[in-house]
Amino acid sequence: MTISTPSAATSSNRSFLRCHVFSTDHKVIGRAYFFLSLAAVLVGAWLSLLMRIHLVWPKATLLLLGEIKPENYLAQLTMHGTLMVFFVLSTVPQSGFGTFFLPLQLGASNMAFPRLTAAGFWTALLSFCVLMAAFFVPGGPSGAGWTQYPPLSALASAGPGQALGTDLWLASIGLFCLSSLMSAVGFVATTIHHRAPGMAWLRMPLTCWSWFVTSLLILLAFGILLAAVVLLMLDRHAGTSFFIPGGLLVSGKAIAHSGGSPLMWQHLFWFFGHPEVYIAILPAMGVTSHLLSVFARKPVFGYKAMVGATLAIGALGFMVWGHHMFVSGMNPYAGFAFSTLTTAIAVPSAIKTFNWVATLYGGRIRYVTPLLFSAGFVSLFITGGLTGPILAQPALDTYLHDTYFVVAHFHLIMAMAGVFAIFSATYFWFPKMFGRMMNETSGRWHFWITLFGAYATFMPMHLLGIAGHPRRYSELSGVQYVTAMAPLQKFITVAVIVTLAGQVIFLVNLFWSMFKGRKAEANPWECTTLEWTLKSPAPAEGFGDQRPQVNHGPYEYNISGAEKDFVMQDAPAS
Amino acid sequence: MPIISDRVEVERKPKLGGGGPGKIPHRRGFGGGDDGDHGNSGDFRSREQRMRRYRVGMTLCIISVTAVFVLLTMVYVFRMGKGRFDEDAHRWVRDWIPLTLPYVQLWTNSLILLLSSLTLELARRSMAKKEEFAAMGIVPPRLGRDLPWLGITVFLGFCFLVGQVLVWNILRSQGAFLASNPSRSLFYILTGTHAVHLVGGLVVLLYAVAGRLLAIKFESQRIAVEVTGWYWHYLAFLWFGIFALVHFARG
């Protein structure tokens, strides 16, 4: 699984398993998270391909799968969302790159609680296995969507995947909550406690800031989800009625539950769910800020404003959950408050976007793959972000909520932007993680195909949404105004196939470079932060006894008077 | 024999800082090692750092647990006010049936928990005194009227849990089951979640009590007691919060 060769000193007296598998070394755990997410993204992407093909060629029977029934489509939809949101977007930027690089960037030799961090990974792996098991049980995976709205998710008789499949889903997400909490405790304690001498709070790279704020969000949000999942489990198995209303008939049979509120689940879920959006995107923003500065060879424009905006987004993230529920029949005054607060998030987001563009402006830009993907992030973040204020208006959202417009919005701003940041981080940190460089030419091919593919896939969905094409349906043949949009749907499916084919370039590049890539020197990108003071790949003993002394800020590029165009953070104070 | 003593020297070194690869002795009290249990004696600064690290971690856990209980309280209040829609009468009917609480048992349990909080505090203080000896490598002597406070705390913790089970039994004998009414469900869930968290604290305390048997260093024992102390007092506080909620918001 892991590739690096640890130095002889540490490997001589430790078994292979202890070094590479049951290790408490943050680098081994970070890499393991990376591969876990890679497995999850492959399954998730495969499911999206199945769904897209089914949408435009419903009669096509794909290899070994047979006919896709509506409930299968819903199960695929649910698993695609769950895998991508939990196991990709909130796992690899935070737990993957964060576990690997937070201690290195802070000048620490490990996380604050290495065993806890390791336990977090193993719980996440178990959670992933439990989720995958749902594919192999009778009835298949849950079909209630990644949001698991009751009563569909609360009643085992409501559908084929609603029995064991949903139990597995809930168990898996419960475990994932525990895993995230364990990991987040380590992150916050490391940041507070393990900074090298001289690493003041405002000398931390912006990546560390965003990992820190994200961990705080995890601490508050995932506990809530865990409690909500337990309540839903009790509704399903212990006969309580928190989320199940009275008077329900399922397949002609009356349900014994009464008095519960499905709306309460929506409140609980989205109170977690909206911070979750920022849990996914804040680390991506941090990586982007970091990389734009590195490759524009300029200090980040407005470092303190960036830190403030990160904190503001984190805080506002807890006050806006209601904007996912405008169509639930909530009090219009509540809708107004949520709408106003949601629009307020545009302010810190705009500060960040302005600063990214200003960082690039006038820089001596080095057009390498990590920069391209970071610039792609900014582009997708703006495109996806512009539809945010539209959906924040209850009046507009009422029309657009159940259409492809929302699909386009969250895929551009959360999924595609997040994935672009993951790609840029992979290309950027690959030498430190695996000791070799990734291939530049195929990196560029990968970038352009993915960029055009992402836009070709999701831009037309805005039009579908405005024209009223509802989401979540497996097949709408016979509905005339929807049939008229079939050519656009076909175009999207073709775009998806091309985009996913483009990812093969990435996979080949990844694994080829791991073994055959050009050997990387210690600091191939000429960065200033502490992880680049170590040789590549980062040695098992980290900084060893040579604890770095930090004398400089994280983004000292092109400082007048310096001999090179960058000043390492641990360079002697001038 | 000099050769043997050399070999011993060499073997001892990598042990500093404890298990796992890439474990760095925490010489200057940063990062390093999981919890550096096997080695690293006497370095005062690094001991303090370790204690601080665990305190930060415990604070974060407490924040997270608080979030869970705030949520459960919100569910309680919301569910109490909500009812079901009666189709025939065409109006909302509240379905919340107030619970008759077994106050005698509940107050006994509260007292036990409060007492255990006190004994744990005494255990913590006595360990803090002994630490000076341990730091110097002396087996801590038995101080004055020093009772096995830690063992008493664990005992009282178990008593509290047994008491909670008795409370649940009394309720069940009254016909109040988890699924009978939301007031029952939420009482069981609140007290049950609290009990689960208390069990977590008990496990750590048992680890500290069994310190001698498991050959755990005094320092680790002390950190376990210190940090669990915070947690334990917090859980006692939380218990009174829950008690107040189910008493004052009976519906």
Side-chain angles (χ1 to χ4, degrees), chain A residues 24 112 115 219 545 547, chain B residues 23 27-28 30 34 53 64:
Chain A
T24 49
R115 283 181 201 164
L219 281 176
D545 283 347
R547 188 179 193 190
Chain B
K23 285 291 130 9
R27 274 187 204 140
R28 296 185 201 87
F30 82 104
D34 27 10
R53 179 154 58 100
S64 210

Side-chain angles (χ1 to χ4, degrees), chain A residues 284-348:
Chain A
M285 288 173 162
V287 166
T288 305
S289 313
H290 189 72
L291 264 62
L292 288 180
S293 169
V294 169
F295 294 110
R297 313 308 292 170
K298 262 181 73 185
V300 161
F301 186 90
Y303 174 90
K304 282 185 185 165
M306 284 300 223
V307 172
T310 307
L311 291 166
I313 290 176
L316 283 171
F318 278 106
M319 302 175 202
V320 297
W321 76 92
H323 70 218
H324 297 272
M325 302 164 55
F326 286 146
V327 293
S328 68
M330 63 159 61
N331 188 318
Y333 291 107
F336 173 72
F338 282 125
S339 167
T340 312
L341 283 162
T342 305
T343 320
I345 296 188
V347 176

Side-chain angles (χ1 to χ4, degrees), chain A residues 18 23-24 107 109 112-113 115 181 188 193-194 219 224 227 234 238-239 241-242 259 264 268 540-541 545 547, chain B residues 20-24 27-28 30-34 49 52-53 60 64 68 71 78-79 82 84 95 178-179 185 189:
Chain A
R18 197 97 165 81
S23 172
T24 49
S109 51
F113 303 108
R115 283 181 201 164
L181 289 171
V188 178
H193 222 259
H194 280 19
L219 281 176
I224 306 277
L234 288 174
S241 302
F242 291 109
M264 187 163 74
L268 301 186
E541 69 274 12
D545 283 347
R547 188 179 193 190
Chain B
K23 285 291 130 9
I24 311 308
R27 274 187 204 140
R28 296 185 201 87
F30 82 104
D34 27 10
Q49 290 263 347
R52 257 186 63 202
R53 179 154 58 100
L60 299 171
S64 210
V68 170
L71 171 120
F78 177 81
R79 193 65 185 79
K82 202 199 162 290
R84 68 188 166 80
D95 57 355
L178 179 68
S185 316
I189 288 169

